[in-house]
Amino acid sequence: MAWRLFRKDEDLVRKITELRKTRNAVILAHFYERPEVQDVADHVGDSLELSRIASKTDADVIVFCSVRFMAETAKILSPRKKVLLPVWGAGCPLADFADAAQIRAAKAEYPQAAVVSYVNTSAEVKALSDYCCTSANALQVVNAVPNEEIIFVPDRNLGRWVAEQTGKRIHLWEGQCPTHQHIRAKDVAALKAAHPDAEVLVHPECGDEVRSLATHCLSTAQMLRYCEASTAKQFILGTEMGLLHQLNKKVPGKLFLFPGNGPVCPNMKKTFLKDVADSLGEMKHEILLPEDIITSSRRALDVLLSAVPAK
Ligand code: CIZ
């Protein structure tokens, strides 16, 4: 169904547009956010790219429509800007699988190992990590790490994929993204049977069985770029359905199919236009991080930033 705004939403969009100006704010929306929230944003993308873009603007305020770890990443890259997360309760169950005490314990158990944390982690966990990676560059980062032994935090599926591809000795964490983990191989196989010409692109947070059906294993931004560049006309996508909005905008005329009823991240859907307007109007909810956490997590992120070329 095509997305349309209701009158109330149009009023909110007007209010957000005014507030954005008076507050000198930049609005970011992750690919998994609601379509109307994506449409009100200045930039839509993956978490690292958005944080990087925002850090280069002269905005005083960053409103990051996303989940908490993403807004924290923006704060780490822009410590002098005010970073707002419109819905305070928008968390990430995957990031919650690792806390600082657990990382300290794992480091004590495997003292030779480097800690590589996925960007889906809290600032405290990043601060204790040697390196940070995204799904787009996990292979590059792990290959570049001098240690043969690695503690990979927190996504087990991504960690296992990295271990297979790099041959490094990887201590896997128990974490998983419920949205990607629940994508079923039988639903992907059914779509493949019905659309034999479709290319299958899956996120590395998916389970092994789903991954084994894929043409390519890609991050969200990589999927979008791949669909733009490919001559294929049909794609089966193993990721959160919010990406469909940008796919339809940027790659018109192609068919995008999602397995099952369409994977949805409930946390990414917590933010409505009203939350964006309230956040900017009342300057809530601000992400505050201690200076030492910003400094240490920035060090782990810097390795990542130098490994990922800016677009
Ligand atoms: O960091 C992001 O944006 C995530 C979690 C997913 C992706 O594939 O880009």
Side-chain angles (χ1 to χ4, degrees), residues 268-287:
M268 286 287 187
K269 301 299 186 254
K270 282 182 179 167
T271 306
F272 291 84
L273 285 176
K274 182 170 181 332
D275 300 305
V276 184
D278 289 350
S279 178
L280 263 174
E282 297 164 39
M283 295 300 274
K284 63 176 192 186
H285 307 95
E286 186 178 357
I287 298 284

Side-chain angles (χ1 to χ4, degrees), residues 71-89:
E72 286 186 353
T73 305
K75 181 69 186 175
I76 296 164
L77 296 195
S78 302
R80 304 288 152 244
K81 297 190 199 298
K82 223 179 235 306
V83 178
L84 306 177
L85 178 66
V87 175
W88 196 240

Side-chain angles (χ1 to χ4, degrees), residues 30-32 45-48 69-70 118-120 134-136 180 203-205 218-221 239 268:
H30 190 266
F31 284 129
Y32 297 160
D46 67 37
S47 64
L48 183 70
F69 82 83
M70 298 188 177
Y118 185 28
V119 71
N120 295 44
T134 63
S135 50
H180 286 94
H203 198 278
E205 289 174 21
L218 302 172
S219 73
T220 49
T239 194
M268 286 287 187

Side-chain angles (χ1 to χ4, degrees), residues 8 45 51 57 81 88 98 100 102 149 160 174 189 209 212 247 255 266 296 304:
K8 231 171 89 197
S51 297
T57 66
K81 297 190 199 298
W88 196 240
Q102 291 167 322
E149 201 180 331
R160 193 181 286 124
E174 277 307 323
E209 233 192 311
S212 70
L247 285 165
L255 180 66
S296 306
L304 167 63

Side-chain angles (χ1 to χ4, degrees), residues 29-44:
H30 190 266
F31 284 129
Y32 297 160
E33 289 288 311
R34 294 175 178 279
E36 72 274 26
V37 172
Q38 294 188 28
D39 286 347
V40 86
D42 298 293
H43 305 281
V44 180

Side-chain angles (χ1 to χ4, degrees), residues 124-136:
E124 284 82 7
V125 168
K126 286 186 180 75
L128 289 169
S129 304
D130 298 298
Y131 308 92
C132 191
C133 73
T134 63
S135 50

